[in-house]
Every structure is written in C-alpha cells, then in structure tokens.
Amino acid sequence: MTNVDLQKINAVEPEARAGDARAEAFQGVRVARRNELAEDYVELIAELIHNQGEARPVDIATKMGVTAPTVAKTLGRLARDGLITRAKYRSVFLTEEGRALAKECRHRHEIVLRFLIRLGLDPETAEHDAEGIEHHVSERTLALFAAFANRS
Amino acid sequence: MTNVDLQKINAVEPEARAGDARAEAFQGVRVARRNELAEDYVELIAELIHNQGEARPVDIATKMGVTAPTVAKTLGRLARDGLITRAKYRSVFLTEEGRALAKECRHRHEIVLRFLIRLGLDPETAEHDAEGIEHHVSERTLALFAAFANRS
DNA sequence: GCCAAAAGTTAGACAAGGCTAACAATCTGC
DNA sequence: GCAGATTGTTAGCCTTGTCTAACTTTTGGC
Ligand SMILES: [Mn+2]
Ligand SMILES: [Mn+2]
Ligand SMILES: [Mn+2]
Ligand SMILES: [Mn+2]
C-alpha cells in the first residue's frame, strides 16, 4: 500500500464518519435494492423447480411479468454471479449458493406474509406488499415479525 | 388516440390478464421502485427547508450518501417531473406537487417508524428498515400499522 | 419424419442512477 | 476586494433493467 493510498484512507475516513446515520440508512437501502431482483429470481426459480420439475425461462417471464429477453439478460447476470447454471436452450438450475439464497428468501417471504395476514391484511394485498417489503427487513425486524405471527 | 394505439392496448390487455396475480405483484413492486428515489429526495428536501431554511445540493448529497454530480443529475429528473424548481447555483425549491408528495412521504415514514418501534425494534434499526419499507406499504397496510402504533 | 408453433437467444435502443475528472461560480476571511 | 475554499455543474463512463425486432433452436402434432 502506497503513501498515497494511506493518505486517501485517512482523508476519506472522517467523511464516512461525517455522513450521519441517515446517509448510512440510505446506503443500506441502495444495497438492498441491488439484490432485490436476484432474490426474487432465485426464489421463483426454486419454486418452479419444486412445482413444475424445472425452471423454464418462459415461465419465469410469465410469473415475473417481463419479456423473454429481459429474463435472458437477467439470467446471464445470475449465472455470472454464481447463483444459477444454464446451458443454451435448456432450463435453469440453481447452484448451491443459489439454493441457499432461495431458501433464505422463501423463509423471509413466508414470515413477512404471515405477519401481514396476522395483522389483519387481506391475503392478496399481503402478498403484494410482502413482495416489496421482504427485501428491506433486517434480521431483528424479521424476528419480531415471526414472533408476532406465531403469538397465540 | 390513433388506431395503432388502440390496437396496442387491445393487444396488450389479454397478456396483462394472462399474467397471474404474481406477475401483478412484481409489476407493482417495479412501479414502487421507480418512485423510491423521488420520494426520498422530496422528503429530504422538505426537511432541509424546514430545518435549515433552504435545501442545498451539498446537504442533500451528504444526507443521501452520494456524490454531488449524482445529486445534480437526480435533481434534473425531479425538475423535469415537476416536483422541484431550481436555478443554477441556487438552492432547491419544491413545487406544489413536490410539497404534496413530501408531506405524504413524511406521513408514511412516520407511521412505519412508529410502528416498528412499537413492535419492539430499537430506534436505529427501525429508522434503517423504515427507509426501505415505507415505499412498499399499501394504504391498507399503512392503516393497520397506524392502528397498531396508536393502540393503547 | 416434417414443419409450424413455441421457446430461446442475440442485437441494439434507452432511461435510471451511480461514479470520477475537470471546470465554473459563489462565498468568505482577511 | 481578492485569493482560496467551498459549492455546483458538465462531460463522460459504467451497470442494471427494461423493451422490440429479428434470428435460431427445439418441440409436438400430424
Ligand atoms: Mn420480492
Ligand atoms: Mn418473494
Ligand atoms: Mn425511503
Ligand atoms: Mn423516508
């Protein structure tokens, strides 16, 4: 590491500190948003494999409400990021990593959904809101949601 | 509206119907995501005007945790969309529409935050999660959150 | 087994939202 | 009232995520 690098670090450090808690929250939200699509895709792919035996792009496109080329490009990124494997003109498979993420996402989705329904929301709206909320729920919040959903 | 437009609408309609409830939910989330940034900006701008007397790009950048050029470009879009007005090298003002949106967002943010705290979450995590969740909460869910937060 | 329909891919456009580098304007302390 | 610091803008790059148009491959009905 050069002196210049060290200077940079020392120069940047106070600014990172100066950015208040607010900036941190916004940065966290931006990070969460970057993973949203991948999370929804692997969750859906796992579900299709479970229900249909395989995950075909055409079904992903229908369920996600996007066109086939959009799915193709997104699957390219997921493959690049090590979440899926695929061969040309064949259906999609999850990697070990992809399966782990899918499981985690399904779990989160389930808890948020049950929580909202338990709160008194109708199932359709609950499903709708859960699809967005699930990506912005911390471990702590998830635990509280689960406790509420499971209370007697 | 031209015949071509009508044809397009009629052609698209059945597909929108064919997409099941799931696709609708995902589409709704995508719409919500498109408005997230604008919502956070106008909310922050309103707050800066209230607390500091004016909303300066440098403060927006600090609070949002992004660089000045990013703020400049985003403000350009907000102005284009009729939410703010601005003059070169001057601070930013909300339009009537921007003020209305800011008020609505502040209200939503407040309810989600109070709800999470009431659930038992620590204020820092609550603030963090609220910043993301607020954009994915339907009117119905918001009402339930408010009722829960206000329960005796 | 062929051939049309369905599914998948590729190419290319476009907008959003992030960045750095470079420059311009404004403000401030002396 | 000027110089230097701060603030703001512009230009240009990159990635993501969406689309349409055009193509190729696979599949299934006959
Ligand atoms: Mn989701
Ligand atoms: Mn989900
Ligand atoms: Mn927010
Ligand atoms: Mn907010």
Side-chain angles (χ1 to χ4, degrees), chain B residues 8-47:
Chain B
K8 263 188 193 171
I9 286 169
N10 288 331
V12 164
E13 197 67 52
E15 290 193 65
R17 204 177 308 283
D20 57 13
R22 181 77 73 93
E24 261 178 70
F26 281 126
Q27 279 162 348
V29 172
R30 280 197 294 276
V31 169
R33 206 161 47 208
R34 276 210 312 270
N35 298 128
E36 270 187 51
L37 205 62
E39 290 178 1
D40 285 335
Y41 266 74
V42 297
E43 190 186 349
L44 175 57
I45 289 165
E47 186 189 304

Side-chain angles (χ1 to χ4, degrees), chain B residues 102-118:
Chain B
K103 189 176 174 185
E104 183 197 316
C105 290
R106 186 184 191 288
H107 181 238
R108 239 187 310 134
H109 188 118
E110 206 59 40
I111 288 175
V112 173
L113 180 64
R114 288 201 302 128
F115 169 79
L116 290 174
I117 289 172
R118 187 63 182 257

Side-chain angles (χ1 to χ4, degrees), chain A residues 56-119:
Chain A
R56 298 161 76 243
V58 66
D59 293 326
I60 297 173
T62 301
K63 299 270 187 192
M64 293 289 303
V66 296
T67 62
T70 295
V71 169
K73 204 180 274 192
T74 304
L75 292 178
R77 286 194 302 271
L78 295 182
R80 181 201 61 191
D81 296 343
L83 295 170
I84 65 168
T85 58
R86 61 194 192 126
K88 258 196 183 184
Y89 297 101
R90 298 260 88 99
S91 64
V92 177
F93 300 89
L94 290 170
T95 61
E96 204 50 61
E97 190 186 341
R99 229 167 299 141
L101 180 60
K103 189 176 175 184
E104 183 198 315
C105 290
R106 187 182 190 290
H107 181 239
R108 240 186 309 133
H109 188 117
E110 207 59 40
I111 288 175
V112 172
L113 180 64
R114 288 200 301 129
F115 170 79
L116 290 175
I117 289 172
R118 188 62 182 256
L119 238 201

Side-chain angles (χ1 to χ4, degrees), chain A residues 2-147:
Chain A
T2 68
N3 281 355
V4 173
D5 287 335
L6 286 169
Q7 275 183 301
K8 262 189 192 170
I9 285 169
N10 288 332
V12 164
E13 197 68 50
E15 290 194 65
R17 206 176 306 284
D20 57 12
R22 182 77 75 93
E24 260 179 69
F26 282 126
Q27 278 162 350
V29 171
R30 279 197 295 275
V31 169
R33 206 160 47 208
R34 277 211 311 272
N35 299 126
E36 270 188 52
L37 205 62
E39 290 179 0
D40 285 335
Y41 266 76
V42 296
E43 190 186 348
L44 175 57
I45 289 165
E47 186 189 303
L48 286 170
I49 289 172
H50 184 261
N51 292 346
Q52 250 96 89
E54 62 174 349
R56 298 161 76 243
V58 66
D59 293 326
I60 297 173
T62 301
K63 299 270 187 192
M64 293 289 303
V66 296
T67 62
T70 295
V71 169
K73 204 180 274 192
T74 304
L75 292 178
R77 286 194 302 271
L78 295 182
R80 181 201 61 191
D81 296 343
L83 295 170
I84 65 168
T85 58
R86 61 194 192 126
K88 258 196 183 184
Y89 297 101
R90 298 260 88 99
S91 64
V92 177
F93 300 89
L94 290 170
T95 61
E96 204 50 61
E97 190 186 341
R99 229 167 299 141
L101 180 60
K103 189 176 175 184
E104 183 198 315
C105 290
R106 187 182 190 290
H107 181 239
R108 240 186 309 133
H109 188 117
E110 207 59 40
I111 288 175
V112 172
L113 180 64
R114 288 200 301 129
F115 170 79
L116 290 175
I117 289 172
R118 188 62 182 256
L119 238 201
L121 202 60
D122 64 288
E124 294 76 28
T125 309
E127 188 59 69
H128 198 284
D129 285 14
E131 201 56 78
I133 291 173
E134 60 178 353
H135 310 283
H136 300 275
V137 165
S138 63
E139 272 306 315
R140 278 182 172 166
T141 301
L142 195 66
L144 288 168
F145 278 17

Side-chain angles (χ1 to χ4, degrees), chain B residues 76-90:
Chain B
R77 286 194 301 273
L78 296 182
R80 181 201 62 191
D81 296 343
L83 295 170
I84 65 168
T85 59
R86 61 192 192 129
K88 259 198 181 182
Y89 296 101
R90 299 260 89 98

